[in-house]
């Protein structure tokens, strides 16, 4: 058995019941095989064994009191996966599905994504099985304060800087920042995605969605195409989905769908983005309401968004939301490009269908790196005690996404896998981390 296969077999045996982590590690390790096999010093240094083992995994109790006076107990996580190239950086996810395996898959992906940005940030991820949906602001605040009362001792502006993810937006980051400051007395950039009045960066809210579209636009431009005049299907109706829709529309595309965990909207005239922003971010409502105001649109319960005919698909909801059958439906309907806004939204089988079907496929760790890249820009502004303008940050974000596209394209070609951007992105992200780990000795 070769080195990569041995490490994967051991990983699966040692971490049972963590299928998402197995999936992410299998994808990365299999695609970097040519780099690993070309240099035996990696095996001698047990580089892969160290790479797949988090530096630190923290799990903790989060007790809080709901509005009825009942005590609730959730589980908190922070996985500090790899700090070879910088302090740990990665979001916090609050969703009932959260468990250690999911946080580990996200943290593992984050290592390579952060490396791809070209900025000095290591990989980490955290969260809780707390569900903010249906909770009052006071309940969310009490939960966030309790969560930070344990987390604060493990993080810091130069050690580990969490951000948002599913279920964690400006409101939650604000509550957590307030509690961190209250406990430590430090006014430092310990979280990103903060409000603009207390150290947040312009463009951070839009960054993941905008960055996704900048990268896909570049990938299309390289083939003589663009978003202009294209029909786009987007899943999700959260932070990433909404701002991806906004930028795609600005570039001349027509976005015809959004989805949430209950169902999806199909609006053949183009979705009303401002309406969805208000619905999801202000009123915290459900997409099912969309047709009350837009009688020409259709709302369907359940899955099915990938059966809509489109030129470009942008999955922006959650992991494994797009399977082999969905991928086949997209290819059969003439889809030319897929950009992953969510983390690992496509199953391994779906990716295979895209690559074999000649679909331009931008994998998550390249395509959605704009969020963490702009978080790193927020860290820089916090360190300088300065705020940059919207245009300044946006221009830097665009430059970073174009560079990532170039890197994933070049590395794929270098290893004889032209247009396989899954391999290209993994190899480009891996090389920098591997070099830093080798240089730093056995740690
Ligand atoms: P939000 O919480 O803002 O939105 C998530 C959206 O996806 C909601 O519409 C939600 O619907 C839907 N969704 C969540 N879980 C499920 C599920 N199990 N089944 C179906 N739909 C679901 O999160 P974000 O937009 O921030 O994150 C979306 C994805 O993008 C995630 O994979 C995240 O890891 C990734 N990402 C986010 C970044 C960021 O900067 N925010 C950066 C990089 C990646 P509902 O309201 O019904 O729950």
């Amino acid at each position: 058995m070769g080195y990569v296969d041995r490490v994967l077999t051991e990983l699966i045996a040692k971490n049972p019941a963590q299928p998402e982590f197995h999936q992410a590690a299998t994808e990365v390790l299999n695609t970097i095989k040519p780099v690993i096999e070309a240099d035996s010093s990696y095996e001698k240094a047990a580089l892969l064994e160290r790479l797949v083992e988090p530096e630190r995994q923290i799990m903790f109790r989060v007790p809080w009191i709901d509005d009825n006076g009942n005590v609730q107990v959730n589980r908190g996580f922070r996985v500090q996966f790899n700090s070879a190239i910088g302090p740990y950086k990665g979001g916090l996810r609050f969703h009932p599905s959260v468990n250690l395996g999911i946080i580990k898959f996200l943290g593992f992906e984050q290592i390579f994504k952060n490396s791809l940005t070209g900025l000095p940030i290591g990989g980490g991820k955290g969260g809780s099985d707390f569900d903010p949906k249906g909770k009052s602001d006071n309940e969310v605040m009490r939960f966030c304060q309790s969560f930070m009362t344990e987390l604060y001792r493990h993080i810091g502006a130069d050690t580990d800087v969490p951000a948002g993810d599913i279920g964690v937006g400006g409101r939650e980051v604000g509550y957590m920042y307030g509690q961190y400051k209250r406990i430590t007395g430090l006014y430092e950039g310990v979280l990103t995605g903060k409000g603009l009045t207390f150290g947040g960066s312009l463009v951070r809210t839009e960054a993941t969605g905008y960055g996704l579209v900048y990268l896909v636009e570049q990938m299309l431009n390289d083939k003589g195409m663009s978003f202009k005049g294209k029909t786009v299907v987007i899943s999700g109706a959260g932070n990433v989905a909404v701002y991806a829709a906004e930028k795609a529309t600005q570039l001349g595309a027509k976005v015809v769908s959004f989805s949430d965990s209950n169902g999806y909207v199909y609006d053949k005239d183009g979705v009303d983005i401002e309406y969805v922003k208000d619905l999801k971010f202000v009123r915290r409502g459900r997409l099912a309401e969309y047709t009350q105001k837009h009688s020409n649109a259709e709302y369907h319960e359940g899955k099915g968004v990938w059966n809509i005919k489109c030129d470009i698909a942008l999955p922006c909801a959650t992991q494994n939301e797009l399977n082999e059958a969905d991928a086949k439906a997209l290819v059969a309907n003439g889809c030319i490009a897929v950009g992953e806004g969510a983390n690992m939204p496509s199953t391994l089988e779906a990716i295979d269908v895209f690559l074999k079907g000649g679909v331009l496929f931008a994998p998550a760790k390249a395509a959605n790196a704009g969020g963490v890249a702009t978080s790193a820009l927020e860290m820089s502004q916090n360190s300088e005690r300065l705020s940059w303008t919207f245009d300044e940050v946006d221009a830097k974000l665009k430059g970073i996404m174009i560079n990532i596209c170039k890197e994933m394209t070049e590395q794929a070609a270098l290893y004889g896998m032209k247009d396989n951007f899954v391999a290209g992105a993994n190899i480009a992200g891996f090389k920098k981390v591997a070099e830093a780990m080798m240089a730093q000795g056995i740690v």
Side-chain angles (χ1 to χ4, degrees):
M1 197 185 285
Y3 180 35
V4 165
D5 293 330
R6 179 168 59 75
V7 170
L8 277 173
T9 306
E10 285 169 9
L11 175 147
I12 291 166
K14 213 169 162 181
N15 301 279
Q18 296 184 354
E20 292 86 0
F21 178 48
H22 304 167
Q23 183 181 338
T26 302
E27 186 216 274
V28 172
L29 266 51
N30 277 333
T31 52
I32 61 173
K33 250 183 197 169
V35 186
I36 299 292
E37 284 169 358
D39 188 345
S40 62
S41 65
Y42 290 141
E43 184 168 2
K44 230 175 266 160
L47 184 88
L48 293 183
E49 290 88 330
R50 290 188 286 135
L51 193 65
V52 299
E53 191 67 30
E55 289 174 17
R56 200 169 296 103
Q57 309 182 52
I58 301 145
M59 282 172 68
F60 50 98
R61 178 172 72 205
V62 190
W64 58 282
I65 298 176
D66 68 21
D67 286 347
N68 298 319
N70 297 320
V71 179
Q72 302 286 344
V73 182
N74 286 99
R75 184 172 284 178
F77 302 88
R78 186 72 185 165
V79 173
Q80 299 178 329
F81 224 118
N82 192 301
S83 62
I85 64 168
Y88 311 105
K89 181 95 199 81
L92 296 170
R93 175 176 292 190
F94 292 168
H95 193 273
S97 63
V98 163
N99 57 39
L100 185 60
I102 287 185
I103 298 297
K104 280 177 70 181
F105 115 65
L106 290 164
F108 185 70
E109 289 278 299
Q110 198 81 44
I111 303 169
F112 309 99
K113 179 188 310 190
N114 292 3
S115 167
L116 273 172
T117 66
L119 300 167
I121 37 179
K125 198 82 188 187
S128 173
D129 57 0
F130 172 75
D131 187 359
K133 241 179 276 165
K135 304 288 190 303
S136 70
D137 281 353
N138 276 332
E139 288 177 320
V140 171
M141 181 177 73
R142 286 194 293 273
F143 172 81
C144 288
Q145 290 176 341
S146 181
F147 184 82
M148 187 51 84
T149 302
E150 173 58 33
L151 186 68
Y152 89 94
R153 64 186 89 242
H154 308 291
I155 61 177
D158 293 315
T159 49
D160 183 357
V161 184
D165 190 75
I166 291 179
V168 179
R171 174 181 62 169
E172 290 76 14
V173 169
Y175 292 148
M176 287 191 277
Y177 188 73
Q179 184 70 353
Y180 179 86
K181 186 165 61 64
R182 181 194 200 190
I183 298 173
T184 62
L186 295 172
Y187 208 102
E188 61 173 10
V190 68
L191 292 166
T192 55
K194 299 184 290 300
L196 294 176
T197 53
F198 55 99
S201 173
L202 287 163
V203 196
R204 176 59 189 91
T205 306
E206 297 85 353
T208 309
Y210 278 22
L212 165 67
V213 172
Y214 290 147
L215 183 130
V216 173
E217 176 77 350
Q218 185 60 44
M219 179 174 78
L220 291 167
N221 288 172
D222 289 345
K223 303 285 177 194
M225 299 182 283
S226 74
F227 266 97
K228 199 167 171 33
K230 301 290 190 301
T231 298
V232 179
V233 163
I234 292 185
S235 65
N239 174 270
V240 180
V242 165
Y243 290 102
E246 184 168 279
K247 184 52 72 180
T249 307
Q250 284 170 12
L251 294 184
K254 184 168 75 172
V255 178
V256 295
S257 71
F258 279 124
S259 70
D260 64 17
S261 40
N262 296 101
Y264 70 94
V265 157
Y266 171 51
D267 190 337
K268 63 177 181 351
D269 302 325
V271 284
D272 181 345
I273 296 167
E274 291 309 313
Y275 173 87
V276 174
K277 275 188 194 171
D278 179 65
L279 174 73
K280 298 300 279 189
F281 304 148
V282 182
R283 292 190 280 130
R284 297 184 191 275
R286 311 300 303 159
L287 264 186
E289 288 172 47
Y290 187 92
T291 48
Q292 288 171 11
K293 181 163 179 256
H294 303 85
S295 50
N296 284 341
E298 298 167 21
Y299 175 75
H300 300 272
E301 283 286 328
K303 298 180 191 289
V305 72
W306 308 122
N307 293 320
I308 301 171
K309 187 172 167 50
C310 66
D311 303 304
I312 299 168
L314 304 177
C316 297
T318 195
Q319 65 272 3
N320 293 329
E321 55 163 311
L322 197 165
N323 62 24
E324 185 177 11
D326 299 324
K328 284 182 175 159
L330 283 165
V331 172
N333 276 331
C335 177
I336 54 166
V338 175
E340 294 189 316
N343 281 310
M344 207 169 76
S346 317
T347 61
L348 292 172
E349 297 77 20
I351 295 173
D352 208 39
V353 171
F354 291 137
L355 295 182
K356 289 190 175 132
V359 174
L360 291 171
F361 179 76
K365 61 176 79 62
N368 71 23
V372 72
T374 309
S375 276
L377 301 179
E378 183 173 330
M379 289 165 71
S380 300
Q381 293 169 77
N382 291 165
S383 299
E384 295 188 320
R385 304 251 188 270
L386 288 175
S387 298
W388 304 339
T389 64
F390 189 97
D391 289 347
E392 240 176 313
V393 182
D394 193 37
K396 284 191 166 65
L397 167 65
K398 196 170 177 183
I400 290 168
M401 299 315 294
I402 290 173
N403 196 48
I404 293 176
C405 189
K406 190 168 152 259
E407 287 260 322
M408 70 181 193
T409 307
E410 282 177 6
Q411 292 298 323
L414 189 64
Y415 288 88
M417 293 180 278
K418 191 167 175 287
D419 291 348
N420 181 341
F421 304 131
V422 178
N426 286 338
I427 291 171
F430 169 76
K431 278 185 168 175
K432 184 171 152 194
V433 176
E435 195 178 324
M437 286 179 74
M438 294 299 279
Q440 291 171 21
I442 306 301
V443 290

